[in-house]
Amino acid sequence: MKKIGILGGTFNPVHNGHLALGEAAMEQYGLEEVWLMPSKLPPHKSHFAILSEKHRLAMTKLAAKTNERFVVSDFELLREGLTYTADTLELLTKEYPDCRFYFIVGGDSLVNFFSWRQPERILELAALLGAGRAGIGEETINAAAEALRKAVPGAEVGIVQLSDYPVSSKEIRKAFFTGEAERVRPFLPEAVYRYLMENRLFLKVTYDELDAEMQRILPRKRYLHTVAVAHLSAAYAAACGLDPEKALLAGILHDCAKAYTDEALLTECERCFLPVTEVEQRNGFLLHAKLGAYYAKERYFITDGEILSAIRYHTTGRPGMTDYEKIVFLADYLEPFRTQPTTPALDEIRKIAFSDLDRAVFLALENTVNYLSAKEQEIDFTTVETYEEYKKKMRRQ
Ligand code: DGI
Ligand code: FE
Ligand code: FE
């Protein structure tokens, strides 16, 4: 039987850590080849900035040239619909009856292997190799491997001894997006680095990518609101001589953390070490602005402070708001699909916003504060402070 390793992944981009894992598996388990198999987009993960199959495959081919025993397989890419490992192995074992497949996964996957689809079937069809990972701990991984061997008689489960690779694909993308591509160059096969540079990939976060991601993660109505805010923000920016592109990006991301319940927002903020005030404890939804700015930076690689603060303060405003903050705050309140039954003055403010940002912000704040008071809802201290500042400002005019 010919021993073949299968190393699947999104490979966005493929890096030396993937190759090191493949090579370690070859050496430690006597594999003749390792097939690098780029996968389709996993439905549950973020699709943001995932390159086309064409690019991911091309880079994997370049990476495979570093070792003659690497083979690139487009087996998963060529299949229709969702691809589950069990199905892939079912087909592979039929097509290559004289091969024994060694399916290589990260150590974390070994630990939660029973959450995969048809784990027992996978273990019947192929051997499973998990990468040892310092982050998880040798004992945990060994125990997981032992549990799998016990669960399926005859299952072959092994561990690939390998120290943690210092970077991930995500960190590589981040470095590219933030202009630090050179720093991660040593972690990529040189040909892959050149490919990314020559094709200008991961150089800039585009509106279209963010739009597609919001469409994917937000409910339909919220998505339409978001797009309306993005475009209205851009229009305000143009009217004020500011950069419409920046306003557009702030607008499309302003509610990117809105698809959570109040409770989930609290947990998520804690997980991300974001401070939570007492008012926010009681009114969890306020946190979507803070968490949204955090996601914009960490997930969507936005580095522009003016874009980030426009997202951060879009719900409460703040004293001394910047123009971009005012723009997104207003667009959020005034976008044409937004209906606020309690605010007949909305159309009036809509007109004013194009010529006098400050007056429009004042009126929006006044309405919000009145509305919340009438409904006996707690008002955030920042909202109150901002309102007070604007009242003074308006008296001076
Ligand atoms: O996320 P959106 O629904 O698009 O809009 P948003 O982020 O402005 O949130 C809207 C709600 O936030 C709206 O019902 C008014 C409310 N809000 C704004 N400031 C405060 C506030 N709610 C409370 N409880 N306290 C505030 O200070
Ligand atoms: Fe919001
Ligand atoms: Fe909004």
Side-chain angles (χ1 to χ4, degrees), residues 222 225 254-255 258 288 314-315 332:
R222 176 63 51 186
H225 158 75
H254 84 284
D255 276 341
K258 188 80 179 183
H288 79 276
H314 85 264
T315 304
D332 188 28

Side-chain angles (χ1 to χ4, degrees), residues 180-246:
E180 294 179 354
E182 192 60 38
R183 186 173 60 78
V184 292
R185 188 171 182 168
F187 304 114
L188 292 164
E190 184 60 17
V192 171
Y193 175 84
R194 293 226 179 103
Y195 184 93
L196 286 167
M197 284 311 222
E198 276 158 22
N199 291 283
R200 306 183 60 75
L201 301 170
F202 300 139
L203 280 195
K204 196 172 156 222
V205 176
T206 67
Y207 174 80
D208 285 348
E209 284 171 326
L210 295 171
D211 181 302
E213 180 70 356
M214 292 309 114
Q215 182 161 24
R216 209 180 77 84
I217 66 170
L218 296 174
R220 178 86 185 143
K221 240 184 116 181
R222 176 63 51 186
Y223 166 68
L224 293 176
H225 158 75
T226 294
V227 172
V229 171
H231 286 93
L232 187 54
S233 298
Y236 289 148
C240 306
L242 296 167
D243 182 355
E245 181 75 26
K246 270 166 77 155

Side-chain angles (χ1 to χ4, degrees), residues 28-219:
Q28 293 169 30
Y29 289 88
L31 311 179
E32 278 179 55
E33 292 174 355
V34 164
W35 294 1
L36 303 174
M37 197 178 281
S39 52
K40 298 210 156 190
L41 297 190
H44 47 279
K45 276 197 193 164
S46 169
H47 288 207
F48 172 71
I50 296 194
L51 297 174
S52 67
E53 296 180 355
K54 182 193 95 176
H55 284 318
R56 290 187 287 124
L57 183 63
M59 287 188 290
T60 309
K61 283 183 178 162
L62 292 172
K65 288 194 184 147
T66 57
N67 185 322
E68 59 186 7
R69 290 197 287 162
F70 280 136
V71 173
V72 177
S73 164
D74 52 7
F75 196 81
E76 288 227 325
L77 292 183
L78 290 180
R79 282 177 53 205
E80 291 287 314
L82 274 182
T83 53
Y84 289 106
T85 300
D87 304 330
T88 300
L89 289 171
E90 204 83 59
L91 293 170
L92 278 176
T93 46
K94 277 211 187 84
E95 209 165 307
Y96 301 92
D98 56 339
C99 293
R100 168 74 170 158
F101 289 103
Y102 287 71
F103 194 74
I104 307 166
V105 298
D108 47 345
S109 296
L110 205 65
V111 173
N112 61 32
F113 192 68
F114 282 114
S115 68
W116 284 39
R117 203 173 131 109
Q118 296 189 292
E120 289 90 358
R121 187 67 189 138
I122 296 175
L123 292 169
E124 283 165 14
L125 291 165
L128 184 66
L129 297 181
R133 244 206 198 177
I136 297 175
E138 209 178 318
E139 273 174 36
T140 316
I141 296 189
N142 285 337
E146 193 49 38
L148 290 170
R149 285 185 207 111
K150 278 209 184 102
V152 179
E156 191 181 341
V157 183
I159 301 204
V160 181
Q161 299 301 336
L162 181 78
S163 53
D164 268 347
Y165 199 67
V167 296
S168 61
S169 292
K170 185 178 175 184
E171 284 165 305
I172 289 170
R173 296 197 291 277
K174 182 171 179 175
F176 270 77
F177 278 127
T178 54
E180 294 179 354
E182 192 60 38
R183 186 173 60 78
V184 292
R185 188 171 182 168
F187 304 114
L188 292 164
E190 184 60 17
V192 171
Y193 175 84
R194 293 226 179 103
Y195 184 93
L196 286 167
M197 284 311 222
E198 276 158 22
N199 291 283
R200 306 183 60 75
L201 301 170
F202 300 139
L203 280 195
K204 196 172 156 222
V205 176
T206 67
Y207 174 80
D208 285 348
E209 284 171 326
L210 295 171
D211 181 302
E213 180 70 356
M214 292 309 114
Q215 182 161 24
R216 209 180 77 84
I217 66 170
L218 296 174

Side-chain angles (χ1 to χ4, degrees), residues 314-354:
H314 85 264
T315 304
T316 58
R318 68 160 166 173
M321 284 167 91
T322 67
D323 283 345
Y324 286 102
E325 290 168 20
K326 294 174 197 172
I327 281 175
V328 175
F329 177 83
L330 283 175
D332 188 28
Y333 193 68
L334 300 173
E335 59 94 351
F337 303 119
R338 170 85 94 192
T339 46
Q340 234 118 10
T342 49
T343 316
L346 215 60
D347 287 331
E348 195 53 34
I349 312 178
R350 284 193 169 113
K351 282 181 207 146
I352 294 168
F354 274 101

